[in-house]
Amino acid sequence: MSRINTLLVLLLVVMSGLAVQPACAETFGQFMAEFARSAKSSPGFQSFSAANGEQFFKSTHGNEWSCASCHTEDPANSGKHAKTSKVIKPLAPLVNPERFTDPTKVEKWFKRNCNDVLARACTPQEKGDVLTYLLTIGK
Amino acid sequence: MPFDNRNTLRMSAVIILLGGMMSVAQADDDHEHHEGGRRAVATNAAWQEECGSCHVAFPPRLLPAESWREMMSGLDKHFGTDASLEPAVAQEIAAFLEQNAGKRKPDPVAKPLLRISETRWFIREHDEVPQRVWKNPLVKSPANCAACHTLAESGDYRERNIRMPK
């Protein structure tokens, strides 16, 4: 009986999760799969690493800003635009479920922010590492 | 009883009046934003979303069309950051900005101004703001309208809603 109850609760949780997602939404798992697919085409790819992602996130890469300059050292927190001080909602998908749901947005912000931080596009390895790191936050 | 009837009548009148006022207020919220006093200002969803993600979506009438055209053609180098947009979105926003741009003719010889804070209008409006306020870390940049204009997000820059951080 209790097993049936647990199953029922689980089913309800999953259904309510589905209900709040916009129609064409993707999950961070789909983004991860996409980054892995792209990363595999470059030689030497093994897997994504949260530790590398964290280091990448918190370091500067030749320019003035790092990812953390705006998103803070703890992406579970709200950040602040380094120039305008506008509040930026938390980046960690487990804390802010709006993150990594809209492919257009994800692509737009990676393009802009990688240009600002690295003066180039990020590689699929870097994107995968960062997302892997972000998914360790708020667990 | 006549007394009861009068009261009921009064109550109904109040309810109808209130209802009317609320629906007017609602319509006001839906269709216009107030900026620089009580003047109604046009809005556009893409402008609000895209321009408003890094700073307040600045009202189009604060710069002439020439300035907006120049701004929108260089979004990949937007005051030191990459603010590039999909061409279709950029086009929609550019059209909205130009249609609702300030009407004052800019100096035809000078390059169009891109910083609102460098316009004569902005400098005049802010000439009584002390230096220490501009230097306050809570303000940091003249682009941070909401630091003092507490309702800037909703397009309200009225004097009565200004609170300078201490």
Side-chain angles (χ1 to χ4, degrees):
Chain A
M1 188 62 191
S2 77
R3 215 177 124 200
I4 292 173
N5 273 345
T6 317
L7 273 175
L8 198 68
V9 167
L10 267 176
L11 190 71
L12 280 173
V13 167
V14 168
M15 279 169 67
S16 64
L18 287 175
V20 295
Q21 293 287 334
C24 61
E26 292 199 12
T27 62
F28 44 76
Q30 281 167 286
F31 285 99
M32 198 67 104
E34 178 57 37
F35 297 150
R37 228 184 345 264
S38 310
K40 273 177 196 151
S41 62
S42 57
F45 173 75
Q46 288 176 331
S47 61
F48 293 131
S49 144
N52 290 352
E54 179 170 5
Q55 205 198 359
F56 179 90
F57 191 87
K58 294 179 177 174
S59 317
T60 54
H61 302 266
N63 280 358
E64 189 190 340
W65 294 342
S66 66
C67 309
S69 304
C70 294
H71 294 292
T72 80
E73 295 267 319
D74 182 359
N77 294 332
S78 283
K80 223 187 208 181
H81 193 285
K83 229 169 182 172
T84 66
S85 295
K86 172 126 183 161
V87 173
I88 300 169
K89 289 180 193 160
L91 188 58
L94 300 183
V95 178
N96 176 6
E98 281 174 31
R99 295 297 189 185
F100 291 91
T101 55
D102 179 347
T104 315
K105 265 193 183 170
V106 170
E107 201 177 310
K108 176 178 79 181
W109 285 108
F110 264 128
K111 176 175 187 277
R112 291 171 164 186
N113 296 352
C114 293
N115 253 340
D116 286 345
V117 172
L118 303 102
R120 61 164 173 83
C122 291
T123 64
Q125 171 87 58
E126 288 163 341
K127 291 181 190 176
D129 286 346
V130 166
L131 183 52
T132 307
Y133 159 59
L134 291 176
L135 289 173
T136 62
I137 293 159
K139 257 188 186 169
Chain B
M1 262 194 284
F3 179 75
D4 274 354
N5 278 343
R6 259 208 314 274
N7 256 4
T8 316
L9 212 67
R10 262 188 216 149
M11 283 293 283
S12 318
V14 166
I15 288 168
I16 290 166
L17 257 173
L18 270 177
M21 279 159 72
M22 277 164 75
S23 60
V24 168
Q26 191 96 43
D28 197 46
D29 279 354
D30 284 350
H31 298 298
E32 19 182 88
H33 282 219
H34 294 118
E35 178 277 317
R38 295 202 60 82
R39 231 186 299 184
V41 170
T43 66
N44 167 283
W47 160 79
Q48 185 71 59
E49 162 79 19
E50 298 297 346
C51 307
S53 53
C54 294
H55 50 67
V56 171
F58 300 123
R61 72 177 186 84
L62 299 187
L63 287 176
E66 289 75 5
S67 297
W68 289 125
R69 206 168 301 139
E70 173 109 352
M71 185 102 63
M72 294 303 290
S73 67
L75 280 183
D76 56 331
K77 291 185 178 65
H78 187 68
F79 303 106
T81 63
D82 183 342
S84 49
L85 285 169
E86 288 288 309
V89 182
Q91 226 163 31
E92 180 189 339
I93 294 174
F96 165 74
L97 289 169
E98 287 181 40
Q99 270 159 26
N100 297 284
K103 298 286 180 266
R104 181 180 290 188
K105 282 274 155 267
D107 181 345
V109 188
K111 277 186 75 179
L113 276 181
L114 297 188
R115 284 183 196 278
I116 293 167
S117 57
E118 286 173 3
T119 61
R120 250 182 297 170
W121 167 84
F122 184 96
I123 294 166
R124 196 180 56 236
E125 286 290 319
H126 296 84
D127 61 0
E128 65 209 87
V129 179
Q131 272 308 310
R132 62 177 165 78
V133 172
W134 292 116
K135 288 191 183 133
N136 188 322
L138 292 171
V139 177
K140 234 177 112 184
S141 156
N144 186 8
C145 307
C148 304
H149 295 275
T150 54
L151 299 180
E153 283 292 341
S154 62
D156 182 339
Y157 290 82
R158 280 179 292 171
E159 197 102 21
R160 70 167 83 149
N161 296 317
I162 297 174
R163 307 274 179 281
M164 291 190 206
K166 293 250 161 62

